[in-house]
Amino acid sequence: MNAPAESVPAFSVISGAQVARALGGREKELVELVEDTYRVHGAGATVNPPSYFLRFPDRPSSRIIALPASLGGTGDDTGVDGIKWISSFPENVARGVPRASAVLILNDPRTGYPYACLESSIISATRTAASAASAADRLSRDGARPRRVGFVGTGLIARYIHQFLVGTGWTFDEVGVFDLSADSAEGFRGHVERTAPGAVRIHDSAESLVRGSDLVIFATVAGTPHVHDPAWFDHHPLVLNVSLRDLSADIVLSAFNVLDDVEHCLKADTSPHLAEQATGNRDFVDGTLDQVLDGTLAVPTDRTVVFSPFGLGVLDLAVGRFVHAEVARAGELHTVDDFFHELSRHG
């Protein structure tokens, strides 16, 4: 007997402009959403398999990554399944367009039918920035937020992280900036000066920035470590290793290391993965952000703390589901009529 057609969800397409409107000014709410998702993931109520990398022999710097995931794990109306398909083409920057582009597909957990396709570069940047803002807050020693922040890498992700820090109440005496591109560094300085009070200083080296910052954020496209000297971190800053491959194994091994997910972080030649390869063990991993959130992992005050987030597909699902709900609530879903055409098994 054929299932009734009304059991198949409508399929909608949500544009980047709609995504931006749904997420704008919601930084505190989105940080809470990301933290709640980390807790669900920590409780085992997700499916988050390894990311899949599509690489190109003729374009070695580029890749497209598939992040399948399931959030909720119950198969009822509160859950969501799906996949993010995100490309990273660093040479786009020289062409005047952003490095990354992405779409997110949301699937109905009851039928498996996809019900939405969302522009996802904004969703991806948002969940990354919300994760970083959460880590910056939760890993700050004794609740005292650092006053000097430094950004190594000044692209879209750095802008979103700065936006989320400011949007969740952070203020800084100084914002440090370092980028191999002088134009990018100047552009980021302009963004900071337009959006938040405080001095902005462009550094002429990563070393100068690291030594002059209490909160250091790496948001580059580096494929291999370029920061090797643990002495740069003698003042024990909080480090958000967002781009994952800037730090040498020696720096990771000298630090207190918090990851978002151990299995995910220890692959693909990330800095923690290089540390594992160098030592043959995972003893340097001190815990996860979820353990910090639930109070089972204490953060030391006398060591450099490094947060390395590989980026979980369940975070994209959580933010994507939030966007879909907001757009639907506003009555602005653009549905594609007859997207699913063959709905009778036998014609």
Side-chain angles (χ1 to χ4, degrees), residues 3-344:
E6 57 265 28
S7 66
V8 174
F11 185 80
S12 60
V13 177
I14 299 177
S15 70
Q18 291 177 297
V19 172
R21 287 196 296 270
L23 297 177
R26 314 283 286 269
E27 288 86 4
K28 292 181 180 179
E29 188 174 357
L30 291 164
V31 169
E32 292 174 358
L33 173 64
V34 163
E35 290 187 343
D36 287 344
T37 306
Y38 275 133
R39 292 186 178 98
V40 173
H41 181 67
T46 65
V47 181
N48 205 110
S51 303
Y52 300 91
F53 289 73
L54 175 62
R55 299 187 184 275
F56 314 97
D58 60 329
R59 291 158 285 161
S61 67
S62 301
R63 62 182 187 251
I64 307 179
I65 311 171
L67 287 80
S70 176
L71 174 61
T74 60
D76 61 20
D77 291 338
T78 65
V80 61
D81 309 326
I83 188 168
K84 180 174 72 172
W85 181 239
I86 182 166
S87 68
S88 175
F89 280 55
E91 293 180 6
N92 281 353
V93 176
R95 302 183 180 104
V97 295
R99 169 187 61 85
S101 59
V103 293
L104 176 69
I105 300 294
L106 302 181
N107 291 75
D108 172 30
R110 184 174 58 86
T111 65
Y113 272 76
Y115 64 86
C117 175
L118 302 87
E119 196 287 329
S120 196
S121 66
I122 297 171
I123 289 172
S124 187
T126 292
R127 62 85 150 149
T128 300
S131 170
S134 171
D137 184 54
R138 300 291 184 165
L139 298 176
S140 294
R141 284 79 159 187
D142 301 324
R145 288 178 165 181
R147 302 289 300 177
R148 300 180 302 166
V149 62
F151 289 86
V152 181
T154 55
L156 181 98
I157 296 300
R159 172 161 63 85
Y160 267 77
I161 293 173
H162 179 264
Q163 171 189 322
F164 266 75
L165 291 173
V166 172
T168 52
W170 287 70
T171 58
F172 302 105
D173 295 332
E174 181 178 278
V175 176
V177 178
F178 174 73
D179 197 291
L180 294 176
S181 166
D183 288 343
S184 185
E186 284 290 348
F188 187 72
R189 174 163 68 177
H191 157 75
V192 173
E193 290 175 340
R194 290 190 302 271
T195 56
V200 183
R201 176 188 173 191
I202 294 182
H203 291 256
D204 59 6
S205 69
E207 178 180 2
S208 171
L209 181 139
V210 170
R211 290 186 182 274
S213 304
D214 304 311
L215 171 61
V216 182
I217 299 166
F218 287 94
T220 75
V221 293
T224 57
H226 59 96
V227 178
H228 299 276
D229 189 351
W232 294 9
F233 302 84
D234 282 347
H235 58 301
H236 302 317
L238 171 58
V239 179
L240 304 184
N241 182 31
V242 176
S243 40
L244 286 174
R245 294 172 179 85
D246 301 83
L247 306 178
S248 70
D250 287 342
I251 292 171
V252 172
L253 294 173
S254 67
F256 183 88
N257 291 283
V258 180
L259 314 182
D260 62 349
D261 182 281
V262 176
E263 293 299 328
H264 283 75
C265 280
L266 297 180
K267 57 169 59 79
D269 290 332
T270 64
S271 296
H273 188 206
L274 296 179
E276 181 188 33
Q277 294 174 46
T279 61
N281 62 63
R282 299 179 173 185
D283 295 346
F284 62 90
V285 177
D286 295 285
T288 63
L289 185 59
D290 172 59
Q291 292 174 307
V292 176
L293 291 172
D294 68 17
T296 59
L297 180 66
V299 180
T301 59
D302 58 349
R303 295 180 66 190
T304 298
V305 176
V306 175
F307 174 59
S308 297
F310 195 82
L312 302 177
V314 290
L315 300 182
D316 296 286
L317 290 185
V319 176
R321 181 175 59 183
F322 176 90
V323 169
H324 182 271
E326 289 299 306
V327 175
R329 187 175 298 116
E332 296 178 354
L333 281 178
H334 302 309
T335 58
V336 181
D337 294 336
D338 299 324
F339 186 82
F340 301 110
H341 178 64
E342 287 285 4
L343 296 177
S344 173

